[in-house]
């Protein structure tokens, strides 16, 4: 058990207590539960992502003692190579290129926002529109099936090294699986699912997906990679939600 003392003097972002913590001279990010089972959700979302073949951060569960209180947390190794890589969130990257904070008028179509972000990244990196678009659609599809409502532009990142850019692995999935830590009947999953307000392009679930046909094809390829989702060692309360959301996406029409 890690005894982290009182190192968490503030919330670095969001509502979770977070802290970079050195283990064997390697920086690790430690995130402590608030009581909403975020650590388990991070771990099992990343396990699902890996089964799908996605590039994602590898989280593991740990128990910590914070101010003398035992708490569940998750730990991940930094995806940056010290001294070589620089991380920049999409929010900060686009704000810097615009010399202003990123903001859009209420009612701006999701596709217009999406295209603006793709164009801005394309104009200022070596990545190319197809790579950028496909990466963002991958995130939107995965967030849809795990019910992640917290994919704002500050938890999608670019990594720069010597003027060359690449995308960071998928990270920060703790606000997923409908916000509960118990098994739910299908009726409750259906109700909670309808009430979801996603990000970052639209709070409308269908519009936020941008390209439904592409998302369906992507999901089909992931399912072929993963095989039987019930054999992945992920708790059934999470798998039941994922299975429902998969069916929901596959029934969706443009």
């Amino acid at each position: 058990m890690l005894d982290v003392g009182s190192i968490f003097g503030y919330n670095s972002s969001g509502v979770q207590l977070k802290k970079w913590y050195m283990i064997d001279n390697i920086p690790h990010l430690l995130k402590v539960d608030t009581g909403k089972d975020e650590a388990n959700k991070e771990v099992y979302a990343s396990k699902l992502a890996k089964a799908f073949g996605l590039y994602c951060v590898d989280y593991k569960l740990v128990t910590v003692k914070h101010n003398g209180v035992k708490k569940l947390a998750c730990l991940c190794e930094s995806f940056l190579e010290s001294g070589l890589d620089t991380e920049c969130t999409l929010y900060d990257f686009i704000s810097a290129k615009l010399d202003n904070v990123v903001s859009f008028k209420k009612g701006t179509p999701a596709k217009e926002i999406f295209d603006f972000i793709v164009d801005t990244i394309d104009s200022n990196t070596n990545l190319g529109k197809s790579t950028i678009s496909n990466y963002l659609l991958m995130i939107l599809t995965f967030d849809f099936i795990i019910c992640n409502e917290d994919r704002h532009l500050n938890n999608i990142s670019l990594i720069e090294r010597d003027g060359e850019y690449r995308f960071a692995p998928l990270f920060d999935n703790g606000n997923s699986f409908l916000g509960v830590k118990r098994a739910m009947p299908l009726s409750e999953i259906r109700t909670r699912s309808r009430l979801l307000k996603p990000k970052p392009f639209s709070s409308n679930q269908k519009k936020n997906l941008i390209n439904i046909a592409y998302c369906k094809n992507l999901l089909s390829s992931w399912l072929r990679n993963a095989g039987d989702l019930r054999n992945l060692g992920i708790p059934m309360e999470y798998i039941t939600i994922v299975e429902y959301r998969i069916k929901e996406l596959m029934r969706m029409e443009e």
Side-chain angles (χ1 to χ4, degrees):
M1 181 189 300
L2 291 172
D3 189 342
V4 296
S6 58
I7 62 173
F8 299 100
Y10 58 92
N11 291 347
S12 60
S13 62
V15 296
Q16 276 185 284
L17 296 166
K18 304 176 185 179
K19 180 72 175 183
W20 285 101
Y21 195 72
M22 297 300 293
I23 300 174
D24 297 329
N25 295 316
I26 298 172
H28 287 70
L29 180 62
L30 188 66
K31 303 200 294 183
V32 180
D33 268 9
T34 68
K36 295 183 178 179
D37 209 30
E38 294 97 338
N40 270 308
K41 290 172 183 175
E42 288 283 17
V43 168
Y44 290 118
S46 68
K47 190 168 188 175
L48 181 64
K50 285 186 287 184
F52 285 159
L54 307 185
Y55 178 43
C56 63
V57 169
D58 187 16
Y59 292 93
K60 68 176 181 178
L61 284 175
V62 294
T63 303
V64 300
K65 187 181 288 186
H66 173 232
N67 287 333
V69 179
K70 185 177 175 181
K71 295 184 177 181
L72 192 65
C74 62
L75 190 70
C76 66
E77 188 174 328
S78 173
F79 50 73
L80 301 175
E81 190 166 345
S82 180
L84 296 174
D85 294 333
T86 302
E87 179 188 8
C88 189
T89 71
L90 293 198
Y91 182 88
D92 288 341
F93 181 84
I94 294 170
S95 293
K97 301 307 176 185
L98 298 177
D99 293 322
N100 201 353
V101 297
V102 182
S103 63
F104 299 94
K105 291 181 180 179
K106 186 176 181 179
T108 303
K111 183 65 163 58
E112 185 177 323
I113 299 172
F114 180 88
D115 288 343
F116 174 82
I117 289 173
V118 170
D119 289 343
T120 304
I121 299 171
D122 176 54
S123 299
N124 293 279
T125 70
N126 55 295
L127 291 170
K129 284 189 178 182
S130 178
T131 296
I132 300 163
S133 177
N134 292 348
Y135 177 81
L136 293 176
L137 290 170
M138 174 273 290
I139 288 177
L140 297 177
T141 306
F142 188 68
D143 283 346
F144 182 91
I145 67 169
I146 65 170
C147 304
N148 184 6
E149 289 187 281
D150 196 35
R151 187 65 65 197
H152 48 77
L153 295 179
N154 268 321
N155 59 24
I156 306 173
S157 288
L158 289 164
I159 301 171
E160 184 269 334
R161 181 188 294 191
D162 297 329
E164 298 289 310
Y165 288 86
R166 67 185 190 275
F167 280 109
L170 184 66
F171 65 93
D172 207 351
N173 302 298
N175 189 11
S176 301
F177 302 115
L178 298 176
V180 297
K181 50 189 290 187
R182 58 176 172 79
M184 292 181 288
L186 186 58
S187 59
E188 185 177 357
I189 292 174
R190 186 182 300 113
T191 298
R192 287 178 174 270
S193 181
R194 282 199 299 264
L195 296 174
L196 288 172
K197 300 293 182 184
K199 299 182 181 74
F201 304 111
S202 175
S203 61
N204 179 292
Q205 298 184 55
K206 184 175 181 178
K207 292 178 180 178
N208 193 59
L209 286 172
I210 308 298
N211 186 333
I212 292 169
Y214 182 91
C215 294
K216 285 182 178 181
N217 287 334
L218 192 59
L219 179 54
S220 294
S221 70
W222 295 351
L223 294 173
R224 288 192 294 271
N225 287 338
D228 188 346
L229 300 183
R230 299 187 175 213
N231 291 332
L232 297 179
I234 297 173
M236 278 306 301
E237 57 263 35
Y238 297 151
I239 289 296
T240 303
I241 293 168
V242 168
E243 289 176 339
Y244 175 79
R245 295 290 284 181
I246 288 170
K247 291 177 182 177
E248 195 173 28
L249 177 52
M250 289 307 200
R251 287 194 301 262
M252 199 176 287
E253 297 180 357
E254 292 284 357

